[in-house]
Amino acid sequence: MNKEIVIFYCFLFLIPTINFAQHSVAREWNEEVLNAIRSDYARPTVHARNLFHTSSLMYDAWAIFDEQAETIFLGKTYDGFDFSFSGITTPANVNLARQEIISYAIFNLIKHRFQNSPNYGTEIYPSIENLFLSYGYDINYTSIDYSTGSYAALGNYMADQMITFGLQDGSNEGNQYANINYSPTNEPLILDLYEDNTDINPNVWQPLAFDVYIDQSGNPYPLNTPGFLSPEWGEVSPFSLKASDLDIYNDLGYDCYVYKDPGPPVYIQNSNEDGIDDAYKWHFALVASWSSHLDPNDTTLIDISPGAIGNFDSQNFPETFEEYKVFYNFENGGDSSSGHTVNPYTGSPYEPQIVKRADYGRVLAEFWADGPDSETPPGHWFTILNYVSDHPLLEKRLHGEGPILDNLEWDVKSYVTLGGAMHDSAINTWGIKGYYDYIRPISAIRYMAGKGQSTNASLPSYDPHGLPLIPNFIELIETGDPLAGANDENVNKIKIYSWKGPDYINDPNTDIAGVDWILGTHWWPYQRATFVTPPFAGYVSGHSTFSRAAAEVLTLLTGDAFFPGGMGTFDIEQNNFLVFEPGPTQNMTLQWATYRDASDQTSLSRIWGGIHPPIDDIRGRIIGESIGVQSFDLATQYFDGSLHTDNISDTTTLIDVFPNPAHNVIHINTSITSPLQMEIYSIDGKYIFEKKLRNSTNNVDISSLNTGLYFIKIWNKNSEDFIIKKIIKN
């Protein structure tokens, strides 16, 4: 069997086999969304948005017939978009009406959102058509006039409105999500040529050039040098992110929307014979060091049970460089977590599971990479949510309290909460990625290796930007070394003890690259040669942010930090899991006591996989934790009908527009916490342009306006006009 197909079924196997009839209509359509994502290009930002929008439609279809709950989109003005709704008659059979509305809404939204996917005609559409027809619905019914009392028409209308909203929500969907302002600083790294890479800016992202590029979902990509995915995603309309979370920076020549700004990453320093004490060099050298753990011939054994790993208190995440060095084990891998004493469900200690460290590192790099036929990180956490929801020990009580919810209510509430967190994580993370534009390990390590060593100026190849010399990990090549070359052409160059890379794998069914000394300029992450590294900047890690946000949501939804029964598991079959080389060498089971343990394992997997240094990881975890809590808090306000908006009584004291007259820029300061919309009109009422205000301090460029008199209007998502005033452009 093709190995990529094996991976596909392994990921689905995470969900126990349960009678399909027990699943709600929301669950069945969520599975269709996940299947569509697996068949599409690997676009975490786009698919986090798809999961949130489909989940919101399903929730709203449920909420309109609930006496307490508030809808999110339907009948509301959402981030300036009027999602109008005049009501519909409550049906005699509410469950059938909800099923009909959900089915028409999600069927139509999937058709629209995935129409340009590479497998739309062969996989996506036939699958959604089959489910839609299985309910007995009319595939040719397209009316959106729900005033007739038609629940099918209401579903069509909701999809139509969400499609329209999506074409103006800041995602640039109408132009295939193309970037508008961003362009890379560095020229592409041509991977197979091993050319000199020392003329790049080592602090910013570098595109990669391939002979053939296959994205993380296994789809051949039309461009051999893929561009930066979604660097301007911070402008997309969020769920729970607040205006107070946002900074808008324009020092790059255009507005960059950055929520929960973690500050800059670590930048390379001109080391003075202390290379390992430069935080930049330490972070990337650690990635190279962990790569040395990926040889199945290495007999190092570790315990991967919850009794030995996990259970790290997020209040103690590292902040200083010294704390990072304590938290991560540079030489042996892993973090400083100590595991759980007992399983709280059984009251007994967790049974040790002793495996090769090399198998563990390679499996983690594959499992959490969300590779071929997977659902990208946001969708992966939906499969984990579905796994938890199917568990016989789970009582579906919101936050572990109150009545047990039926399957549909549990699904729509849990989906929209997780969907909102994944969507906000994408907005937050990719806004940071686009603004800080930080380099990936493959570029940083090859750059520093090309420069030389930064440890000892009396030794050959000294350069302040070189790699630090670390005995047994990073050394200089000497005469007589197998890497010296026939004419000693490589003498005094840098060598790294590391995974040897895809050059040593001709047949992925039989060949194992292993670990050995390699030229530092030939370093590879533990990934497929046709993929290597995701096509966007590293800082901060999307995996860390998505996973921590999801872990917080699952903890809050269930009211328990632990998986049902005290442990979540995923079985790995010997020599039937890894994609680009055989492995693992033995059967093993990934185990997590808590959702946060699974999240933390995700983060470590990206280091073993050569994708992220620690600086990308921790700050992503911190942001994700905040987003998960915010998403749950806001979602529960919708669920119990307690949602409230800002009560604005004296707007003149809360919004300040200056200077007036203005020349090229007007400043708008506000203490209102909800997102605002600003529009400018000419004196005769002609619309000029608009801008979203999501920060307490906003700068609006009016240099394109002719000299004259204009009206400025500022209003909130509930269509309340806060200010309409005249401004003068001089």
Side-chain angles (χ1 to χ4, degrees):
M1 179 180 286
N2 180 283
K3 297 187 76 172
E4 292 189 357
I5 300 298
V6 171
I7 291 296
F8 172 65
Y9 285 109
C10 282
F11 273 76
L12 289 185
F13 189 71
L14 180 62
I15 304 168
T17 302
I18 289 184
N19 185 345
F20 194 63
Q22 294 179 0
H23 288 160
S24 74
V25 62
R27 169 64 174 273
E28 292 177 0
W29 280 110
N30 176 254
E31 294 287 2
E32 291 300 324
V33 176
L34 294 173
N35 283 331
I37 292 171
R38 295 181 187 111
S39 298
D40 192 28
Y41 294 112
R43 301 179 290 182
T45 50
V46 172
H47 296 316
R49 175 174 171 269
N50 285 332
L51 285 162
F52 173 56
H53 288 175
T54 53
S55 298
S56 296
L57 289 180
M58 291 193 286
Y59 168 77
D60 279 4
W62 175 88
I64 55 176
F65 301 123
D66 184 82
E67 294 182 355
Q68 185 179 40
E70 287 191 40
T71 56
I72 296 173
F73 283 91
L74 189 63
K76 301 291 180 62
T77 299
Y78 193 99
D79 202 14
F81 181 83
D82 184 15
F83 208 121
S84 61
F85 177 56
S86 57
I88 196 167
T89 304
T90 301
N93 190 322
V94 170
N95 286 335
L96 285 179
R98 285 168 168 162
Q99 175 179 291
E100 190 169 2
I101 297 167
I102 288 171
S103 296
Y104 275 88
I106 307 306
F107 175 72
N108 282 294
L109 189 58
I110 292 177
K111 278 201 309 179
H112 171 77
R113 290 282 174 85
F114 292 90
Q115 61 185 313
N116 296 317
S117 299
N119 301 296
Y120 177 75
T122 57
E123 297 176 14
I124 297 173
Y125 184 77
S127 184
I128 63 172
E129 180 186 52
N130 180 64
L131 178 60
F132 188 82
L133 293 176
S134 73
Y135 292 123
Y137 298 139
D138 182 359
I139 210 162
N140 296 312
Y141 184 77
T142 60
S143 173
I144 61 173
D145 183 10
Y146 62 87
S147 66
T148 63
S150 167
Y151 301 112
L154 178 56
N156 288 339
Y157 170 76
M158 290 170 66
D160 179 74
Q161 288 293 286
M162 186 62 80
I163 289 168
T164 304
F165 169 74
L167 294 174
Q168 57 85 69
D169 70 344
S171 66
N172 200 21
E173 180 190 335
N175 195 26
Q176 296 297 303
Y177 310 102
N179 301 337
I180 297 173
N181 296 303
Y182 175 88
S183 60
T185 299
N186 288 321
E187 292 296 315
L189 172 62
I190 303 175
L191 291 161
D192 294 334
L193 296 184
Y194 298 116
E195 294 179 319
D196 180 13
N197 200 44
T198 58
D199 61 351
I200 66 168
N201 181 338
N203 292 319
V204 299
W205 180 70
Q206 181 180 31
L208 303 181
F210 299 78
D211 287 337
V212 176
Y213 176 69
I214 299 177
D215 77 2
Q216 206 155 353
S217 289
N219 296 300
Y221 201 74
L223 299 176
N224 290 346
T225 304
F228 193 130
L229 174 74
S230 307
E232 295 143 8
W233 207 253
E235 297 188 46
V236 175
S237 298
F239 174 56
S240 66
L241 291 172
K242 302 174 182 177
S244 56
D245 294 328
L246 179 65
D247 289 293
I248 303 175
Y249 302 119
N250 54 23
D251 52 296
L252 299 181
Y254 54 90
D255 286 348
C256 293
Y257 288 65
V258 178
Y259 289 90
K260 301 181 186 294
D261 183 6
V266 290
Y267 295 129
I268 196 165
Q269 304 298 312
N270 288 320
S271 302
N272 182 19
E273 299 186 86
D274 57 355
I276 196 61
D277 295 324
D278 174 354
Y280 177 102
K281 299 183 182 72
W282 181 90
H283 280 271
F284 287 105
L286 180 140
V287 176
S289 172
W290 285 26
S291 181
S292 71
H293 304 158
L294 305 178
D295 188 348
N297 292 320
D298 183 345
T299 58
T300 302
L301 300 177
I302 59 173
D303 183 0
I304 64 168
S305 74
I309 57 177
N311 196 26
F312 190 85
D313 184 356
S314 64
Q315 299 301 312
N316 295 319
F317 277 148
E319 296 180 4
T320 68
F321 181 32
E322 292 303 316
E323 289 171 345
Y324 270 89
K325 289 192 287 186
V326 172
F327 180 81
Y328 295 92
N329 190 319
F330 188 100
E331 182 175 349
N332 297 312
D335 59 27
S336 57
S337 63
S338 58
H340 301 264
T341 305
V342 296
N343 180 330
Y345 180 77
T346 65
S348 300
Y350 289 97
E351 183 178 349
Q353 184 185 183
I354 308 301
V355 303
K356 286 184 176 181
R357 180 181 60 184
D359 281 340
Y360 181 65
R362 293 189 302 156
V363 164
L364 290 195
E366 284 280 353
F367 180 80
W368 291 111
D370 300 291
D373 297 315
S374 189
E375 346 37 33
T376 73
H380 195 164
W381 279 95
F382 268 78
T383 70
I384 293 174
L385 169 60
N386 287 337
Y387 162 73
V388 171
S389 296
D390 284 344
H391 201 289
L393 293 177
L394 178 73
E395 289 189 341
K396 295 180 178 178
R397 305 179 192 271
L398 190 64
H399 200 42
E401 302 170 347
I404 293 178
L405 308 183
D406 63 46
N407 287 342
L408 179 59
E409 183 174 354
W410 172 263
D411 285 343
V412 297
K413 288 182 174 180
S414 61
Y415 286 159
V416 79
T417 308
L418 181 58
M422 297 299 91
H423 180 54
D424 284 355
S425 293
I427 292 169
N428 205 142
T429 301
W430 267 257
I432 293 168
K433 286 178 182 288
Y435 179 65
Y436 287 109
D437 198 27
Y438 197 50
I439 196 167
R440 290 281 189 168
I442 188 169
S443 298
I445 292 172
R446 289 193 182 188
Y447 168 84
M448 288 189 289
K451 286 290 188 180
Q453 56 89 12
S454 56
T455 297
N456 189 336
S458 66
L459 294 177
S461 305
Y462 178 79
D463 188 283
H465 278 201
L467 279 167
L469 294 177
I470 304 171
N472 301 319
F473 288 117
I474 302 172
E475 298 180 355
L476 287 173
I477 297 171
E478 299 176 349
T479 300
D481 191 298
L483 293 174
N487 299 306
D488 279 355
E489 62 271 18
N490 294 327
V491 169
N492 296 328
K493 291 183 180 179
I494 293 292
K495 66 177 182 178
I496 301 175
Y497 191 69
S498 179
W499 185 66
K500 292 162 64 178
D503 290 345
Y504 294 85
I505 299 176
N506 294 317
D507 184 347
N509 294 302
T510 59
D511 295 341
I512 295 175
V515 168
D516 204 344
W517 289 103
I518 62 171
L519 285 168
T521 53
H522 288 203
W523 186 86
W524 293 84
Y526 187 75
Q527 305 288 325
R528 289 178 289 117
T530 52
F531 173 69
V532 181
T533 292
F536 39 83
Y539 181 78
V540 294
S541 166
H543 274 69
S544 292
T545 312
F546 284 131
S547 297
R548 193 64 182 201
E552 296 305 314
V553 165
L554 285 166
T555 298
L556 291 166
L557 281 172
T558 62
D560 192 345
F562 287 79
F563 278 85
M567 187 163 66
T569 64
F570 182 86
D571 293 329
I572 307 291
E573 185 179 351
Q574 179 183 6
N575 287 328
N576 202 23
F577 182 78
L578 301 182
V579 172
F580 49 88
E581 62 178 17
T585 62
Q586 66 185 86
N587 292 335
M588 60 189 295
T589 301
L590 297 181
Q591 300 172 325
W592 319 283
T594 69
Y595 305 113
R596 295 181 183 117
D597 289 346
S599 167
D600 292 346
Q601 187 185 82
T602 306
S603 299
L604 297 179
S605 79
R606 303 305 276 169
I607 302 176
W608 265 305
I611 299 299
H612 287 290
I615 194 64
D616 296 354
D617 168 24
I618 293 299
R619 294 179 183 178
R621 296 196 211 188
I622 294 169
I623 292 169
E625 182 174 305
S626 173
I627 289 173
V629 173
Q630 278 187 202
S631 181
F632 179 82
D633 287 347
L634 179 58
T636 53
Q637 292 179 55
Y638 283 110
F639 302 160
D640 62 22
S642 64
L643 186 72
H644 61 276
T645 57
D646 292 294
N647 181 19
I648 307 300
S649 55
D650 182 6
T651 60
T652 59
T653 65
L654 298 176
I655 300 177
D656 188 18
V657 180
F658 64 94
N660 193 11
H663 183 50
N664 288 324
V665 177
I666 56 173
H667 306 286
I668 302 176
N669 293 348
T670 175
S671 59
I672 299 173
T673 58
S674 60
L676 301 176
Q677 187 84 0
M678 179 220 71
E679 294 178 348
I680 292 182
Y681 295 85
S682 63
I683 194 65
D684 58 359
K686 181 180 178 182
Y687 168 84
I688 306 297
F689 70 86
E690 64 186 49
K691 180 181 177 69
K692 291 177 181 177
L693 309 177
R694 298 183 183 150
N695 197 18
S696 58
T697 302
N698 304 271
N699 301 318
V700 180
D701 183 358
I702 61 170
S703 60
S704 62
L705 300 183
N706 295 325
T707 300
L709 187 63
Y710 296 85
F711 287 106
I712 184 170
K713 172 184 174 183
I714 299 176
W715 47 288
N716 79 343
K717 63 182 180 180
N718 295 319
S719 298
E720 296 170 332
D721 292 340
F722 290 160
I723 283 184
I724 300 177
K725 65 181 299 184
K726 294 178 182 179
I727 60 171
I728 300 171
K729 166 67 188 300
N730 60 21

